[in-house]
Each structure stands twice: as C-alpha cells, then as structure tokens.
C-alpha cells in the first residue's frame, strides 16, 4: 500500500511540478502585460487595470493622466504639446479612488513625473477608501513584493492572453514588428467609437443603464468621504512634492446633475460633499491646482457634446486640457462655497421637458 | 487564510505537514499536537488577530466547565445549573456577535424606535466552535466524556481543517484520533488520499463554483435592485446559485477532509450528493450532515423529538428548522428559508405516515416515483435557496415572481431565427425574443442542466474512495473504485494545476459568513 502511494505521490508531484514550471516559463517569456520585460510577443491591451503597470514599467514619460473613463480621451500628443516631454494616459474605466491612487503611486515611484493630470470623478471617491473592483483588480501588479508575482505567473487569464499573443505573433512573420510597433499611448481612446448628441444619448442610456433610477436608500458616511480623499488623493499629493498635480472635476451634463438631484438626492448630496472635501483638503497643497468644470457653460448645457449623460466628446477633453494649462476655472479654498453648488439646476417639469425634447431631437447629420 | 489560496496550498499546508511529521519522529509526544494547535491558531489569526482572544477564552472556559461538570460529586441540581450557565454563556456570545444588530433592526422596524446598531465584527467560525463546545458541555453533563487533556481539547476545537466552516466535529469522534495518533509513523497512504480529496475539492470550488457565480450573481443583483425578471433568466439564476452553493460547500468540505487526512485525521462526512435525494428528509441526511446531526441530537431531541405525539413532533421540527435557518445568518430571509424546509419536512413526514400502510409497488413504479420525488425535492430546494441567497425579502419575491412566470418569458433574440419554425411559433404564443444583460444565450443553461444530471447521477469522491475509508462513516461504494496509481496521480496533478491556475481569482467561501 505504501509503495503504490509512493508512486502515486511521485506522479502527482512530478505532473504538477512540471506543469507549473512550464506555465511559469511561458508566462514569464510572453509576459502578456509586459510586467517583467518589454516583451515583443505581448499585445498592448486597453484594460487599464491590467495594462497600466506594464506601461509604467516599460515606457518612459514625464506627464501622466489618472482617472476614469472621463479621462480616457485625453490625447498624449496634445498633452505633450501643452506640457512638454512624453505623456501616458493611465486611466481605469470605472476606477475606484484606491485603484487610481495605486496607479498614480506606481507611476510616481517608477517615473519622474513633472505633471499629473487627475480627473476626479465624485463617484470614485465616495466609496470606501480601500475599495478596489473585487477580483478584477490585479493588486499584485501594483506592489513590489516578488512573492505576489506568483499571482501573475499562475493566472489563468494571463495564460490565455499569453497563448493568444503568442499565437498572434506566430501567425505571420511580420507579426513581431506589428506587435512592437503597436501604439501604447492611445490604448484607451474611445472617442471615435460613439455618436454624440441627443438621440444617441437617449438610445445609449435606455439600452444600457437608463436614466438615473429613483432611489433614496443610498447612504455614505462623511467619514468615508474624508478618509477616501485623504488616503487616496492627499496622501499621493503630499508624498510627491516635486510633481505638479492638476486635479479637475469633469463636466457632467447639466441634465445629469438635475436628474441626480431629483431622483437620487442622497447620492447627489454625497457628490457635492465629496467635491467640497477635495477643495478643503487639496487646495492648500502647494503642488496642486484644482479645476472645477462642472458648470462649464457651453459644454454642460449642450447635449450635443455627450454620448450619454456624463461622457463628453474628445473635443471637450482637448478643451479641458487647454483650459487647465491656461489656469481657467481654477478653484481656490476661498471658492469653497461655489464648488458643488448648482443654483440654476432644472427641476420637475423642466427636467421632463428636457428629456422628452432630447428623445424627440432629430439626429444631426 | 483561504484553503483556495497560494499561501495555504504552497506554504502553510506543506510547512505544517512537514513540521508535524518531523516532530512525530523526533520530539516528545506532546510536540506534534502543540505544533498543530499553534498552526491552527495562526491560521485562525490570519484574517484578524483580534478574534483570537475570544477563541482562546471560549476554549479555556468551556474546557474548565466540562471538567467541572464531569465531577461525580456534584449535586444534580447544581450540575444542571452549571450546564445551563455554560449554554447560556455560549449562546449569549453567539447572540451578541451574530444577532444583536438583527435584533435591534427588528425592534426598530416593529416598535418604530431609532436605536443605533452596534459596531460589531462577527468573529470567524463562532457559529461552528460554539456548537462543538455546547455538545461537549452537554455530553460532560451526561457523563459521556472522558478526561481529555487541555492540549487535545484545544486541538479538537481549533484544528484548522475544520475550524472555519466545518464539518462540525464531535469530541467523541476526534479525541480518540488525536490521542491514538501520537506515535503513528508517516503513512503515505493518508497523504495520497488526502491530496486526492483536497484536489477534487479545490477543483469544485475554483473551476466550477466560481464560474457558476458569474451567472447567479447578476440575476440576484438585478432582483435585489428591484429589476423585473422573466421566466428563463430567473430560473437560470436560481439553478446557477443552487449549483454554485453545492460545489462551493462540498468543495470546501472536501478540502477540509483532505487536509485533515494528510495528518492522519479522518473527519466526518458533511456532504453526500444531496441533490440526489428523493425527498426532503433524505436531503437533510445528505446536506450539511454534521449540522443536521447536531440540531437533531442537541435541539430536536432536547425539545422532545417525536416522543410527545405528532403535534409536538411537527412543532419541534418547525422550531428546529427555523433556528437552523437563523444559524446560517441573522436575517428574516434565513428564517424563511429554515421555515420553508420545516414545512417541507412536516409535509414529508405526514406523507410518509399516510402512505406507510400501502403495500409495496412494482419496481418500475418505485423507480418512477423515485425520479419524480427527486425532481420535486430539487424544485422545493431551489425555490427555498432563493430566500437564502437574495439580500432582501423584496429581492427574493422578485426572483420567485420571475420563476413562476409572472413577468412572462424572454429568450435571447438570436433564437427567433435560429429555431426556424419553433421560434416564430413561440413568439406567437407570447414569448418575447430580446437580449437581456443577464441572458444572452441559452448555452449556460444547457450546461447547467447537464451539470444537474451529473450531480444527480455520478458518484462523489467518497463513493469512489470508499475502499480507503475517506470519512468516518461507511459510505456507499461506487462500482468504480478510484485506484491510487501513477495514472490517477497524473490526472490528479493536472487537476491540481488547473485549480492552482485559477487561484488568482480568489473568492471567499459562501459558508464563511455562517
């Protein structure tokens, strides 16, 4: 009995050991997210959570963009033109405050950044300070513990990507040049994938998320907002005094704010509270410039600029960059009372009218 | 530390195993036990070290009370009082940590008060180690315990394979093994059997249960958010969750049994293909067996069991199941789930009473009856799981409304053209063809149904290893006995690697919250 168990154990250990070594070797060689080296076999990918650490480790830049989908349309070439040097867009679609702070932290640790542009989406920073997107966030890519690298080397999704990338590279002889020549700077750009304007906004809103639903069960404690801003924004800023931080509140459409205020008053209040907290904690910092574009007239009041109620077109992204460079709409602590304050917000019938007008608006040629 | 983590599989388990067998060969008798206790306490503290003092106090207090209750010179009344005090303290702690906020919320809802909830962190495994120790106290009171050493008692409560989520072990089963195990040499057979069972459990958890969650979670989330569910998507969510829970829980139990077996300790079976049951009574003999046994021995029988006539019997059954439901979680959904199973059991017992006089049927009728019984049991169980899984009562109701077809039937749009004449016919009959976020294809549903057939018909790992006595109880032998040969070692190795590969998607066991 002992003898058969011995051969069984040897078999299982040999099989598992050999398989593990093969997988580790494949993953380390292909390195699908370019974590260890600038692998010529790996394709750049638009998944910011996974790909940003690879960009940060394998490319050199002095200007970075952090944020959510609101900042994915910033063009590196424009950033380079305005701020000089080389730029990287390191946004994370629907990124939490913690995820953004970890990305910023890694970029600041690995690179010498002169300027960091950070789009502060209120929804990201009202969450618990340490919240990340569950298992979708690969925390092991954001630390320097070599033991955690096993999660990278032993990840089934990474193996799949490695095999896919490898197959892609083998498929044609020129693939190697194609892969290495692939741009890493506009990976997340979605500006040309959507239509903008009323009919498209409503079609998209209705088919995907709909208008903000009526809900009054949203509770977020003040302490949560304070700690999120403090742990994720303030701590990052204070740890890197040599970098200039350009923080901004994105220009959501006026209709979105109105709907939020009417249908989800508690979330609306939390967003406003968050914006005030950012002003209180960040504006005293010497290396911070804070911009508030939430009331940017000509943009927020014109739905032709949007693909849904919050996502604006690439032209607006360019406009925001220019305004930040010119110092327009900059907020100081003296303006605390005006931030997150929307005195002329539509109410009741006006909202309904705006929605129905939008629904009936003809498509623009 | 999760069983399905690199820390546990690649570091903790091998190190503890190595240390244990080294100490057994070289050190004094107490050393390996001490090593296991220390390892178990470390394992327990891995999440939050703040929980550790409570566990230690609980062990120390219950051990002392058990010793005291075991003294023959005690007066019966005083003995009873000491036992009652012990149970009250144990249940009081459980009640405080697990049910205080539930009580406050219920009071606020009923009386319109505005009492603030308490800031309490539920200590890990408290439901499990409380029950184990209550059983120990009751048995000490009844003179059924022997004098156990403190170290062995510590190991009985804290033994890491079973500490966090069961099986709920009984001192009667464990203590003799801990004491007998002292001078046992290293047995490769134990490690082989343990590794096979552990690997199967890991695969069930990370390869099956976690993937099923992808189909269950969005549907229940939609229901909890107030969404409207149609027939097929609601059933897909409910079936996916029922399977997820099955593979998650049985996977965890397999890992616990496998890890313990590597140390030469045989645990009781906790999960014996429950979805194969032909009635609810049988279901509860196959699902979470150690909990059912505890509830039967220490609650149902203590309430009078079936000794006080049918009315009291059914009342006892209902109460036991209601409390069993609440044991799983502090919420009305769990109480309803327990209550539903109580009703099912009462009906099942009643039906048995009614049909007991009927003469034996031909074999084919018996077989058809068995299949129908299995189907009915599955439907009842799946319906009840809806309350178990939904986060709110409204969410559960939304799910059930979908499952009974109140919101109509919607199928993915592509099937309208794919099912040449059948699609339009269904459309005429009122079936809507439209893509829903939670139902883009019927392929997952077919796969789930195939999985259902598999779990209802295939032998489990204990059946396959019955010739190796994988658990304390005798289990039914499968026609095919799994041999421990180099070939099975090869496949087991591949399965282990597949499980390891999926570990970067770490997710918690559903039963940890209980």
């Amino acid at each position: 009995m002992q003898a058969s168990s011995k051969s069984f154990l040897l078999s299982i250990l040999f099989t598992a050991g050999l398989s593990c070594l093969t997988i580790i070797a494949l993953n380390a060689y292909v390195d699908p997210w370019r974590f260890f080296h600038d692998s010529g076999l790996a394709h750049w990918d638009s998944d910011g959570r996974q790909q940003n650490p690879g960009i940060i480790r394998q490319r050199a830049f002095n200007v970075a963009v952090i944020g959510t989908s609101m900042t994915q349309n910033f063009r590196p070439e424009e950033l380079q033109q305005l701020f000089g040097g080389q730029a990287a867009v390191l946004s994370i679609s629907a990124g939490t405050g913690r995820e953004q702070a970890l990305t910023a932290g890694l970029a600041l640790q690995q690179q010498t950044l002169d300027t960091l542009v950070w789009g502060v989406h209120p929804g990201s920073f009202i969450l618990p300070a340490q919240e990340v997107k569950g298992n979708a966030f690969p925390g092991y890519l954001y630390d320097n513990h070599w033991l955690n690298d096993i999660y990278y080397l032993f990840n089934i999704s990474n193996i799949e990507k490695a095999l896919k990338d490898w197959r892609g590279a083998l498929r044609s002889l020129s693939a190697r040049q194609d892969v290495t020549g692939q741009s890493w700077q506009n990976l997340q750009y979605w500006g040309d994938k959507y239509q903008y304007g009323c009919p498209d906004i409503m079609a998209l809103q209705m088919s995907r998320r709909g208008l903000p639903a009526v809900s009054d069960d949203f509770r977020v404690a003040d302490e949560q907002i304070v700690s999120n801003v403090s742990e994720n924004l303030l701590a990052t800023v204070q740890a890197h005094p040599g970098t200039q931080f350009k923080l901004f509140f994105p220009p959501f459409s006026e209709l979105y704010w109105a709907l939020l205020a009417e249908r989800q008053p508690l979330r609306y209040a939390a967003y406003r509270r968050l914006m005030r907290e950012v002003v209180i904690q960040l504006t005293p910092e010497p290396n911070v410039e804070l911009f508030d574009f939430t009331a940017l007239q000509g943009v927020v009041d014109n739905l032709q600029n949007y693909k849904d109620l919050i996502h604006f077109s690439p032209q607006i992204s360019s406009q925001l960059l220019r305004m930040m460079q010119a110092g327009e709409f900059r907020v100081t602590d003296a303006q605390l009372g005006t931030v997150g304050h929307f005195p002329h917000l539509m109410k009741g019938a006006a909202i309904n009218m705006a929605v129905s007008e939008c629904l009936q608006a003809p498509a623009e040629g | 530390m999760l069983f399905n983590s690199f820390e546990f599989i690649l570091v903790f388990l091998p190190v503890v195993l190595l240390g244990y067998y080294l100490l057994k060969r070289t050190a004094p008798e107490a050393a390996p036990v001490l090593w296991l206790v220390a390892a178990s306490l470390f394992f327990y503290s891995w999440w939050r070290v703040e929980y550790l003092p409570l566990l230690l106090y609980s062990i120390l207090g219950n051990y002392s009370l058990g010793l005291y209750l075991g003294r023959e010179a005690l007066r019966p009344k005083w003995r009873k009082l000491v036992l009652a005090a012990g149970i009250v303290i144990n249940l009081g702690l459980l009640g405080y940590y697990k049910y205080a906020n539930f009580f406050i919320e219920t009071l606020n809802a009923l009386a319109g008060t505005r009492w603030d909830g308490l800031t309490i962190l539920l200590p890990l495994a408290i439901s499990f180690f409380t029950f184990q120790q209550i059983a120990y106290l009751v048995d000490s009171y009844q003179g059924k315990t022997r004098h156990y050493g403190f170290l062995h008692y510590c190991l009985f409560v804290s033994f890491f394979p079973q500490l966090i989520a069961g099986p709920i072990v009984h001192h009667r089963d464990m203590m003799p093994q801990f004491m007998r195990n002292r001078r046992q040499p290293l047995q490769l057979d134990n490690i082989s059997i343990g590794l096979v069972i552990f690997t199967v459990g890991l695969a069930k958890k990370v390869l099956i249960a976690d993937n099923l969650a992808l189909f269950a979670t969005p549907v229940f989330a939609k229901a909890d958010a107030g969404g409207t569910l149609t027939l097929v998507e609601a059933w897909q969510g409910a079936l996916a969750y029922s399977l997820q829970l099955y593979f998650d829980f049985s996977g965890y139990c397999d890992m616990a049994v496998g890890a313990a077996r590597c140390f030469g300790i045989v645990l009781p079976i906790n999960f014996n293909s429950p979805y194969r049951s032909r009635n609810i009574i049988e279901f509860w003999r196959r699902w979470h067996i150690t909990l059912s046994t505890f509830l039967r021995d220490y609650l149902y029988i203590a309430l009078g069991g079936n000794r006080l006539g049918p009315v009291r019997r059914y009342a006892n059954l209902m109460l036991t199941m209601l409390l069993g439901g609440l044991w799983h979680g502090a919420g009305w959904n769990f109480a309803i789930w327990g209550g539903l199973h109580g009703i099912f059991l009462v009906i099942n017992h009643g039906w048995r009473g009614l049909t007991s006089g009927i003469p034996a049927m031909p074999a084919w009728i018996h077989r058809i009856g068995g299949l129908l019984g299995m189907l009915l049991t599955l439907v009842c169980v799946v319906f009840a799981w809806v309350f178990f899984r939904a986060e709110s009562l409204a969410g559960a109701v939304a799910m059930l409304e979908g499952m009974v077809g109140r919101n109509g039937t919607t199928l993915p749009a592509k099937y309208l053209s794919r099912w040449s004449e059948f699609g339009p016919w269904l459309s005429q009959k009122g079936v809507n063809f439209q893509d829903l976020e939670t139902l883009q294809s019927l392929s997952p549903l077919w796969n789930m149904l195939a999985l259902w057939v598999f779990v209802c018909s295939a032998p489990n790992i204990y059946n396959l290893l019955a010739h190796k006595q994988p658990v304390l109880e005798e289990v039914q032998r499968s026609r095919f006995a799994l041999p421990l040969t180099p070939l099975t070692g090869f496949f087991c190795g591949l399965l282990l690697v597949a499980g390891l590969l999926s570990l970067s998607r770490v997710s918690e066991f559903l039963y940890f919250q209980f």
Side-chain angles (χ1 to χ4, degrees):
Chain A
M1 194 175 268
Q2 286 281 85
S4 77
S5 278
K6 195 172 178 180
S7 58
F8 171 84
L9 279 175
L10 281 175
S11 171
I12 196 173
L13 290 176
F14 180 76
T15 310
L18 192 67
S19 308
C20 289
L21 284 177
T22 310
I23 287 161
I24 287 175
L26 174 73
N27 235 342
Y29 177 62
V30 176
D31 195 4
W33 301 103
R34 304 198 195 210
F35 183 64
F36 295 116
H37 60 101
D38 196 7
S39 166
L41 291 170
H43 281 264
W44 291 110
D45 195 279
S46 60
D47 181 350
R49 286 181 178 85
Q50 303 273 358
Q51 190 61 84
N52 286 340
I55 294 176
I56 292 167
R57 285 171 194 275
Q58 308 306 337
R59 291 290 180 268
F61 50 89
N62 64 327
V63 179
V65 174
I66 300 290
T68 59
S69 50
M70 300 295 142
T71 57
Q72 287 177 315
N73 285 339
F74 284 155
R75 307 301 295 256
E77 50 273 26
E78 286 179 22
L79 285 154
Q80 284 155 206
Q81 208 174 14
L82 289 167
F83 301 110
Q86 188 74 256
V89 177
L90 304 170
S91 310
I92 294 175
S93 182
T96 67
R98 183 68 186 154
E99 290 173 341
Q100 293 172 43
L102 284 169
T103 310
L106 189 65
L108 288 158
Q109 183 198 59
Q110 300 277 329
Q111 306 275 344
T112 308
L113 293 186
D114 301 322
T115 307
L116 194 146
V117 178
W118 199 329
V120 181
H121 186 315
S124 302
F125 291 89
I126 59 169
L127 300 168
Q130 299 295 315
E131 184 158 319
V132 294
K133 274 274 187 293
N135 295 324
F137 184 74
Y140 46 85
L141 297 180
Y142 291 79
D143 62 28
N144 290 320
H145 301 302
W146 63 271
L147 275 173
N148 284 342
D149 293 348
I150 196 160
Y151 284 96
Y152 180 74
L153 295 169
F154 250 91
N155 190 308
I156 197 159
S157 315
N158 289 353
I159 293 290
E160 283 163 3
K161 184 173 187 300
L163 288 172
K164 200 171 139 199
D165 289 353
W166 201 15
R167 271 203 306 272
L170 288 173
R171 203 164 287 144
S172 75
L173 287 172
S174 61
R176 194 177 175 88
Q177 284 86 38
D178 289 342
V179 171
T180 47
Q182 183 194 9
S183 169
W184 58 277
Q185 289 191 299
N186 284 307
L187 293 170
Q188 308 193 8
Y189 186 79
W190 50 258
D192 51 2
K193 291 183 186 140
Y194 294 93
Q195 301 290 313
Y196 299 85
C198 255
D200 298 297
I201 290 175
M202 287 304 162
L204 207 64
Q205 287 288 154
M206 295 306 180
S207 70
R208 292 197 175 166
R209 282 172 284 197
L211 296 171
V214 178
S215 161
D216 60 355
D217 60 355
F218 184 82
R219 293 270 187 283
V220 54
D222 263 10
E223 296 78 34
Q224 186 166 301
I225 290 174
V226 173
S227 67
N228 196 325
V229 173
S230 158
E231 290 174 36
N232 291 320
L233 284 174
L234 186 63
T236 308
V237 162
Q238 287 182 334
H240 300 91
T243 301
Q244 190 63 23
F245 287 83
K246 290 181 183 296
L247 273 56
F248 72 93
F249 298 128
F252 297 158
S253 72
E254 206 170 54
L255 180 58
Y256 175 76
W257 283 112
L259 281 162
L260 199 66
E262 186 162 287
R263 298 186 172 199
Q264 297 181 8
L266 294 175
R267 180 177 281 272
Y268 173 68
Y271 277 23
R272 296 178 62 195
R273 173 77 183 84
L274 179 277
M275 290 162 74
R276 287 170 54 82
E277 191 58 36
V278 172
V279 176
I280 291 167
Q281 290 195 36
L282 274 300
T283 47
E285 296 303 315
N287 56 335
V288 168
E289 291 170 87
L290 177 65
F291 301 88
D292 179 11
F293 296 125
T294 53
L296 187 59
Q297 290 306 302
V299 173
V300 298
D301 52 350
N302 182 0
L303 288 171
Q304 298 305 326
N305 294 318
Y306 293 85
K307 83 169 174 75
D308 53 35
L309 291 174
I310 56 173
H311 290 94
F312 41 86
S313 68
Q315 288 73 27
I316 306 303
S317 297
S318 304
Q319 186 182 339
L320 298 185
L321 280 182
R322 287 195 301 273
M323 291 171 87
M324 278 191 272
Q325 177 62 348
E328 294 173 41
F329 284 81
R330 188 170 168 193
V331 179
T332 62
D333 53 356
Q335 290 165 300
L336 181 61
T338 62
V339 169
H341 187 60
F342 303 98
H344 307 300
L345 222 48
M346 289 178 270
K347 288 191 176 98
I351 295 176
N352 292 337
M353 191 176 288
V355 171
S356 67
E357 270 175 16
C358 194
L359 279 168
Q360 289 160 10
E364 290 212 338
Chain B
M1 200 181 303
L2 295 163
F3 283 172
N4 58 321
S5 65
F6 287 125
E7 300 94 284
F8 182 82
I9 297 172
L10 299 181
V11 183
F12 182 83
L13 188 60
V15 167
V16 178
L17 208 52
L18 197 69
Y20 177 70
Y21 282 112
L22 272 177
L23 287 171
K24 277 189 97 166
R25 285 186 67 165
T26 56
E29 279 185 12
V33 180
L34 191 63
W35 170 254
L36 277 187
V37 170
S40 298
L41 296 180
F42 175 80
F43 176 83
Y44 186 76
S45 312
W46 184 259
W47 276 284
R48 283 184 173 273
V49 74
E50 295 95 306
Y51 294 153
L52 189 59
L54 181 76
L55 176 67
L56 293 175
Y57 287 137
S58 175
I59 290 174
L60 196 64
N62 282 298
Y63 179 71
S64 311
L65 272 179
L67 276 187
Y68 188 70
L69 282 167
R71 286 167 59 174
E72 287 178 6
L74 282 185
R75 281 182 295 138
K77 269 192 178 174
W78 178 243
R79 191 193 293 268
K80 204 174 229 174
L81 203 66
V82 172
L83 172 69
I87 293 174
V88 166
I89 291 169
N90 273 298
L91 291 180
L93 279 175
L94 184 63
Y96 171 74
Y97 282 108
K98 194 162 178 174
Y99 301 105
N101 280 329
F102 173 56
F103 175 75
I104 291 170
E105 280 168 21
T106 307
L107 188 77
N108 283 345
L110 289 176
T113 50
R114 285 169 170 262
W115 292 7
D116 287 334
L118 304 171
T119 313
I120 303 171
L121 286 171
L122 180 66
L124 213 57
I126 190 169
S127 305
F128 289 91
F129 67 69
T130 301
F131 272 27
Q132 279 179 208
Q133 296 189 100
I134 286 177
Y136 167 72
L137 289 183
V138 172
D139 289 355
S140 298
Y141 168 78
Q142 293 173 345
K144 292 179 185 170
T145 56
R146 288 170 48 202
H147 176 72
Y148 303 133
F150 180 63
L151 210 51
H152 284 114
Y153 183 81
C154 279
L155 189 55
F156 155 63
V157 179
S158 67
F159 187 44
F160 72 86
Q162 53 80 40
L163 172 66
I164 305 297
I168 299 171
V169 293
H170 199 279
H171 60 91
R172 181 185 56 222
D173 299 324
M174 303 308 291
M175 288 301 196
Q177 293 194 66
F178 290 143
M179 297 198 283
R180 182 180 60 221
N181 218 23
R182 280 183 213 164
R183 276 293 173 201
Q184 231 175 33
L186 167 66
Q187 289 191 328
L188 292 180
D189 219 25
N190 279 335
I191 297 182
S192 301
I193 297 164
L195 216 49
V196 174
I197 301 174
F198 186 90
T199 302
V200 168
L202 179 69
K204 279 177 166 179
K205 162 68 187 161
V206 298
L207 298 180
I208 304 179
D210 289 356
N211 285 317
L212 285 164
L214 301 177
F215 299 100
T217 307
V219 176
F220 278 92
K222 188 175 174 183
D224 282 317
T228 305
L229 295 166
T230 56
L231 186 78
V232 180
E233 68 173 331
W235 270 100
Q236 177 172 293
L239 291 175
Y241 178 69
S242 305
L243 282 169
Q244 182 202 347
L245 187 61
Y246 171 89
F247 281 103
D248 192 281
F249 189 16
S250 74
Y252 176 81
C253 291
D254 294 344
M255 281 193 260
V257 170
R261 185 56 178 263
C262 289
F263 295 91
I265 301 295
V266 185
L267 292 184
I269 191 167
N270 205 25
F271 205 79
N272 190 11
S273 306
Y275 289 154
R276 206 182 293 168
S277 309
R278 282 164 302 178
N279 53 60
I280 289 288
I281 297 172
E282 188 186 349
F283 176 81
W284 280 103
R285 287 180 186 148
R286 288 172 176 267
W287 180 276
H288 209 167
I289 298 166
T290 55
L291 175 68
S292 311
T293 309
F294 178 91
L295 291 175
R296 183 197 65 202
D297 293 348
Y298 295 97
L299 184 59
Y300 176 69
I301 291 176
L303 288 168
N306 57 6
R307 302 187 303 274
L308 305 168
V311 176
R312 272 298 298 273
R313 178 195 187 184
Y314 294 143
N316 291 339
L317 207 51
M318 279 302 298
L319 188 62
T320 304
M321 293 313 291
L322 276 171
L323 291 174
L326 279 174
W327 178 87
H328 283 84
W332 288 112
N333 274 24
F334 291 104
I336 292 173
W337 171 76
L340 277 175
H341 272 278
I343 293 168
F344 297 155
L345 281 169
V346 167
I347 293 171
N348 200 169
H349 279 289
W351 174 256
R352 269 196 178 176
L354 280 174
T355 55
S356 60
I358 297 175
M361 300 277 186
W364 67 272
I365 293 187
H366 195 70
R367 213 168 292 143
I368 290 175
L371 274 176
L372 288 176
M374 191 193 283
L375 206 61
L376 182 64
T377 307
L378 282 178
V379 170
C380 291
V381 168
V382 171
F383 262 86
W385 283 141
V386 169
F387 286 94
F388 194 86
R389 171 61 178 81
E391 283 175 14
S392 63
L393 218 50
V397 171
M399 272 295 287
L400 292 179
E401 281 181 349
M403 287 169 76
V404 297
R406 267 197 71 177
N407 305 318
T409 306
T410 299
L411 292 172
K414 61 184 176 188
Y415 294 100
L416 182 59
S417 54
R418 192 178 287 180
W419 293 344
S420 49
E421 286 173 12
F422 187 52
W425 181 80
L426 282 175
S427 184
Q428 275 180 353
K429 295 288 171 195
V431 173
N432 189 20
F433 284 86
Q434 180 194 333
D435 282 334
L436 300 168
E437 272 191 35
T438 45
L439 188 71
Q440 312 252 336
S441 165
L442 290 180
S443 305
L445 190 63
W446 304 137
N447 291 339
M448 275 178 228
L449 291 173
L451 208 52
W452 271 104
V453 173
F454 180 78
V455 297
C456 289
S457 54
N460 61 44
I461 189 65
Y462 305 112
N463 301 136
L464 292 172
L465 284 173
H467 59 297
K468 299 279 187 190
Q469 213 210 329
V471 281
L472 281 172
E473 301 81 356
E474 277 291 321
V475 286
Q476 195 184 352
R477 283 185 183 219
S478 160
R479 263 178 281 174
F480 172 73
L482 190 71
L484 298 183
T485 61
L487 188 67
T488 47
F490 170 74
F491 285 114
C492 201
L494 289 183
L495 198 60
L496 183 63
V497 172
L500 279 170
L501 266 176
S502 302
L503 282 187
S504 42
R505 288 179 305 188
V506 174
S507 57
E508 291 201 348
F509 284 104
L510 298 178
Y511 256 70
F512 275 18
Q513 58 185 300
F514 311 122

